[in-house]
Amino acid sequence: MTRKFLPVFSLDWSGLLKKLENVEGDFGILAPVSCYNKLLMRIRELNKPFFIDSSVFENQGNPWYCQLHSEFIHNRWVRELRLADELQLRQTIKNYLARCDNFSPDYVFAPDIIGEPLLSLYLARLSWEEYWRQPRAYALIGVVQVGAVLYNWRQQPVPQLDSVPPHYDSPRSFLASLISAYRNIGYQYIALGGLLKADTTMPTGLKFGLSPQELDELLAWSRPEFVLGGLALTRLEVLRKHNVWADSTNWLWWDARYDQQRFGHRNALQESLG
């Protein structure tokens, strides 16, 4: 597959879509499946590469992949959220894909769980099976949760006699095997996710956790098709170098008032296209 860098603009309301009317060049549009029907139909009518995701940032207090479990222990009822059973997960995935079917996207992101690389792999396998239960024109993108592994990996301060060699006890070793598992399932398109960190100084409350140099190194060996949340003017050179697709969750793309000094006199949307 021949690829080139593609900026993908994320939006969830019509005002943002209107801002794209004067942007010239090749770009894609990403919208969550929770958007209202009219907006999703308008995006399709623009005839740009159209991506739909499963709105992973919504309803974190009662996530879709959990169900309430009740158990009578020590003379009292104990209720807690646990991972939903496979039947419920499959039904949710079926409903998600069925809704995507209505709007003829070009690409759909398989549902994933932020910070949970192995559970996301499990969901990716279920999603792949449900995706192929009927003919679909769009491609399914597997989302590999790499952020939690990169940011939370515990290094041994002192090598132990019974420890594995340093090459194997590393985030890269774990993630290389994880990405290979997605490829083995059948995914031709892989997105790296979970790379945003909480940051109260940012307008969105989120910040990309890797420097351009660290992102360059990650893309050099992981070779994904998409970097979720990776699009920014400071990372354009790296993204172009590796010919990946990337979207931005940073509202600086849409409103210069958040950083008037840097963006007040720049068209960041157009600038990202080169």
Side-chain angles (χ1 to χ4, degrees):
M1 179 182 62
T2 302
R3 290 184 303 161
K4 64 177 182 178
F5 165 65
L6 181 72
V8 179
F9 301 125
S10 303
L11 58 84
D12 59 2
W13 63 287
S14 58
L16 301 183
L17 184 60
K18 189 173 181 61
K19 290 178 180 288
L20 295 178
E21 292 179 353
N22 297 322
V23 177
E24 299 178 355
D26 294 329
F27 60 87
I29 301 175
L30 168 62
V33 72
S34 56
C35 287
Y36 57 88
N37 295 354
K38 186 177 179 179
L39 176 58
L40 295 173
M41 293 172 65
R42 284 181 59 196
I43 295 172
R44 178 67 284 171
E45 291 168 358
L46 290 180
N47 202 30
K48 294 289 187 181
F50 180 20
F51 301 76
I52 293 181
D53 70 20
S54 58
S55 311
V56 294
F57 291 108
E58 296 187 357
N59 300 321
Q60 291 304 299
N62 185 23
W64 67 271
Y65 50 84
C66 288
Q67 63 186 20
L68 187 62
H69 176 80
S70 299
E71 189 173 356
F72 195 72
I73 304 176
H74 302 308
N75 296 318
R76 67 187 184 93
W77 282 101
V78 177
R79 295 177 175 84
E80 62 179 353
L81 285 177
R82 294 185 181 179
L83 182 68
D85 60 38
E86 181 179 329
L87 186 63
Q88 179 175 325
L89 292 174
R90 283 188 182 275
Q91 186 58 54
T92 303
I93 292 169
K94 284 180 184 178
N95 294 343
Y96 167 56
L97 295 177
R99 177 160 171 75
C100 292
D101 293 341
N102 295 328
F103 305 102
S104 303
D106 300 292
Y107 304 93
V108 167
F109 291 93
D112 62 307
I113 303 175
I114 296 174
E116 294 288 352
L118 295 181
L119 286 179
S120 294
L121 174 61
Y122 170 59
L123 293 177
R125 188 177 299 278
L126 298 183
S127 299
W128 187 255
E129 293 171 358
E130 295 303 324
Y131 167 77
W132 282 106
R133 288 189 183 278
Q134 65 183 64
R136 289 185 161 97
Y138 55 82
L140 193 65
I141 302 178
V143 181
V144 182
Q145 280 290 320
V146 300
V149 179
L150 291 173
Y151 303 148
N152 301 322
W153 194 271
R154 294 184 179 181
Q155 300 288 352
Q156 290 284 354
V158 179
Q160 305 296 314
L161 290 177
D162 59 348
S163 64
V164 297
H167 174 74
Y168 295 100
D169 188 16
S170 68
R172 176 171 174 174
S173 176
F174 177 86
L175 290 173
S177 299
L178 186 64
I179 293 171
S180 293
Y182 277 75
R183 299 290 188 194
N184 290 337
I185 290 172
Y187 283 96
Q188 295 183 352
Y189 297 88
I190 298 293
L192 302 185
L195 290 167
L196 301 177
K197 285 184 171 182
D199 188 330
T200 57
T201 66
M202 301 297 288
T204 58
L206 297 168
K207 182 179 181 179
F208 198 77
L210 299 179
S211 68
Q213 294 76 21
E214 291 169 331
L215 178 62
D216 186 16
E217 180 181 353
L218 173 63
L219 297 183
W221 63 262
S222 63
R223 302 181 64 81
E225 282 67 42
F226 203 107
V227 180
L228 286 164
L231 185 60
L233 297 181
T234 56
R235 292 185 287 274
L236 282 179
E237 182 178 346
V238 174
L239 297 170
R240 289 194 178 107
K241 172 185 175 182
H242 294 280
N243 294 317
V244 295
W245 308 333
D247 77 306
S248 174
T249 54
N250 196 321
W251 291 107
L252 289 176
W253 292 108
W254 310 111
D255 200 326
R257 71 172 184 239
Y258 290 120
D259 197 335
Q260 183 68 30
Q261 183 177 355
R262 287 195 301 163
F263 292 93
H265 306 288
R266 296 168 67 179
N267 184 342
L269 286 171
Q270 189 66 62
E271 194 172 332
S272 69
L273 275 68

Short mmCIF file of all heavy atoms in Angstrom, two decimals, residues 33-34 54-66 81 92 113-114:
data_model
loop_
_atom_site.label_atom_id
_atom_site.label_comp_id
_atom_site.label_asym_id
_atom_site.label_seq_id
_atom_site.Cartn_x
_atom_site.Cartn_y
_atom_site.Cartn_z
N VAL A 33 -19.00 8.59 16.44
CA VAL A 33 -20.26 7.99 16.00
C VAL A 33 -21.46 8.61 16.70
O VAL A 33 -22.59 8.51 16.22
CB VAL A 33 -20.22 6.46 16.25
CG1 VAL A 33 -20.34 6.15 17.73
CG2 VAL A 33 -21.28 5.74 15.43
N SER A 34 -21.22 9.30 17.82
CA SER A 34 -22.31 9.92 18.57
C SER A 34 -22.83 11.20 17.95
O SER A 34 -23.83 11.75 18.41
CB SER A 34 -21.83 10.22 20.00
OG SER A 34 -20.67 11.05 19.97
N SER A 54 -15.39 5.60 17.97
CA SER A 54 -16.45 5.15 18.89
C SER A 54 -16.63 6.05 20.11
O SER A 54 -17.22 5.62 21.10
CB SER A 54 -16.15 3.72 19.36
OG SER A 54 -14.88 3.67 19.99
N SER A 55 -16.14 7.29 20.04
CA SER A 55 -16.35 8.26 21.14
C SER A 55 -15.77 7.76 22.46
O SER A 55 -16.46 7.72 23.47
CB SER A 55 -17.85 8.55 21.31
OG SER A 55 -18.45 8.86 20.08
N VAL A 56 -14.48 7.41 22.45
CA VAL A 56 -13.88 6.81 23.64
C VAL A 56 -13.82 7.76 24.82
O VAL A 56 -13.67 7.32 25.97
CB VAL A 56 -12.46 6.29 23.35
CG1 VAL A 56 -12.51 5.13 22.37
CG2 VAL A 56 -11.57 7.41 22.82
N PHE A 57 -13.93 9.07 24.59
CA PHE A 57 -13.82 10.02 25.69
C PHE A 57 -15.15 10.26 26.40
O PHE A 57 -15.22 11.03 27.35
CB PHE A 57 -13.27 11.36 25.19
CG PHE A 57 -11.84 11.29 24.77
CD1 PHE A 57 -11.50 11.34 23.44
CD2 PHE A 57 -10.84 11.14 25.71
CE1 PHE A 57 -10.18 11.27 23.04
CE2 PHE A 57 -9.51 11.06 25.33
CZ PHE A 57 -9.18 11.13 23.99
N GLU A 58 -16.21 9.62 25.95
CA GLU A 58 -17.53 9.89 26.53
C GLU A 58 -17.91 8.84 27.58
O GLU A 58 -17.48 7.70 27.54
CB GLU A 58 -18.59 9.91 25.42
CG GLU A 58 -18.38 11.05 24.42
CD GLU A 58 -19.53 11.16 23.44
OE1 GLU A 58 -20.44 10.32 23.49
OE2 GLU A 58 -19.51 12.09 22.62
N ASN A 59 -18.72 9.29 28.55
CA ASN A 59 -19.33 8.40 29.55
C ASN A 59 -18.30 7.57 30.33
O ASN A 59 -18.48 6.37 30.54
CB ASN A 59 -20.34 7.44 28.87
CG ASN A 59 -21.44 8.20 28.18
OD1 ASN A 59 -21.93 9.20 28.70
ND2 ASN A 59 -21.83 7.74 27.01
N GLN A 60 -17.22 8.22 30.75
CA GLN A 60 -16.20 7.48 31.48
C GLN A 60 -16.67 7.04 32.86
O GLN A 60 -16.11 6.12 33.44
CB GLN A 60 -14.93 8.34 31.59
CG GLN A 60 -14.21 8.54 30.25
CD GLN A 60 -13.87 7.24 29.55
OE1 GLN A 60 -13.11 6.43 30.09
NE2 GLN A 60 -14.42 7.01 28.37
N GLY A 61 -17.69 7.72 33.40
CA GLY A 61 -18.22 7.29 34.69
C GLY A 61 -18.98 5.97 34.61
O GLY A 61 -19.07 5.23 35.59
N ASN A 62 -19.53 5.69 33.44
CA ASN A 62 -20.25 4.44 33.21
C ASN A 62 -19.88 3.92 31.83
O ASN A 62 -20.67 3.99 30.89
CB ASN A 62 -21.76 4.67 33.32
CG ASN A 62 -22.54 3.37 33.21
OD1 ASN A 62 -22.01 2.28 33.48
ND2 ASN A 62 -23.79 3.46 32.80
N PRO A 63 -18.66 3.41 31.69
CA PRO A 63 -18.17 3.04 30.36
C PRO A 63 -18.98 1.93 29.71
O PRO A 63 -19.52 1.06 30.38
CB PRO A 63 -16.73 2.60 30.62
CG PRO A 63 -16.58 2.45 32.08
CD PRO A 63 -17.70 3.14 32.75
N TRP A 64 -19.04 1.97 28.39
CA TRP A 64 -19.85 1.04 27.62
C TRP A 64 -19.39 -0.40 27.77
O TRP A 64 -20.19 -1.33 27.61
CB TRP A 64 -19.84 1.43 26.15
CG TRP A 64 -18.49 1.26 25.49
CD1 TRP A 64 -17.50 2.19 25.42
CD2 TRP A 64 -18.00 0.09 24.84
NE1 TRP A 64 -16.41 1.68 24.76
CE2 TRP A 64 -16.68 0.39 24.39
CE3 TRP A 64 -18.52 -1.19 24.58
CZ2 TRP A 64 -15.89 -0.54 23.71
CZ3 TRP A 64 -17.74 -2.11 23.90
CH2 TRP A 64 -16.44 -1.79 23.48
N TYR A 65 -18.13 -0.60 28.08
CA TYR A 65 -17.58 -1.96 28.13
C TYR A 65 -17.71 -2.59 29.52
O TYR A 65 -17.18 -3.68 29.76
CB TYR A 65 -16.11 -1.94 27.71
CG TYR A 65 -15.27 -0.89 28.42
CD1 TYR A 65 -14.73 -1.14 29.67
CD2 TYR A 65 -15.04 0.35 27.84
CE1 TYR A 65 -13.97 -0.18 30.33
CE2 TYR A 65 -14.29 1.31 28.48
CZ TYR A 65 -13.76 1.03 29.73
OH TYR A 65 -13.02 2.00 30.38
N CYS A 66 -18.40 -1.92 30.43
CA CYS A 66 -18.60 -2.46 31.78
C CYS A 66 -20.07 -2.75 32.04
O CYS A 66 -20.96 -2.19 31.40
CB CYS A 66 -18.08 -1.47 32.84
SG CYS A 66 -16.29 -1.34 32.92
N LEU A 81 -18.60 -2.22 39.10
CA LEU A 81 -18.52 -2.32 37.66
C LEU A 81 -17.42 -3.30 37.27
O LEU A 81 -16.30 -3.23 37.78
CB LEU A 81 -18.22 -0.95 37.04
CG LEU A 81 -19.38 0.05 37.00
CD1 LEU A 81 -18.89 1.38 36.43
CD2 LEU A 81 -20.53 -0.47 36.16
N THR A 92 -22.79 -4.57 21.56
CA THR A 92 -22.42 -3.16 21.47
C THR A 92 -21.62 -2.89 20.21
O THR A 92 -21.83 -1.89 19.51
CB THR A 92 -21.62 -2.74 22.71
OG1 THR A 92 -22.38 -3.00 23.89
CG2 THR A 92 -21.29 -1.25 22.66
N ILE A 113 -10.07 0.72 24.68
CA ILE A 113 -10.18 1.22 26.05
C ILE A 113 -8.90 1.97 26.39
O ILE A 113 -7.80 1.39 26.34
CB ILE A 113 -10.41 0.09 27.06
CG1 ILE A 113 -11.65 -0.72 26.70
CG2 ILE A 113 -10.54 0.65 28.48
CD1 ILE A 113 -11.88 -1.92 27.59
N ILE A 114 -9.01 3.23 26.70
CA ILE A 114 -7.84 4.05 27.00
C ILE A 114 -7.08 3.46 28.19
O ILE A 114 -7.66 3.17 29.24
CB ILE A 114 -8.26 5.50 27.31
CG1 ILE A 114 -8.90 6.13 26.06
CG2 ILE A 114 -7.06 6.33 27.76
CD1 ILE A 114 -9.47 7.49 26.29
#
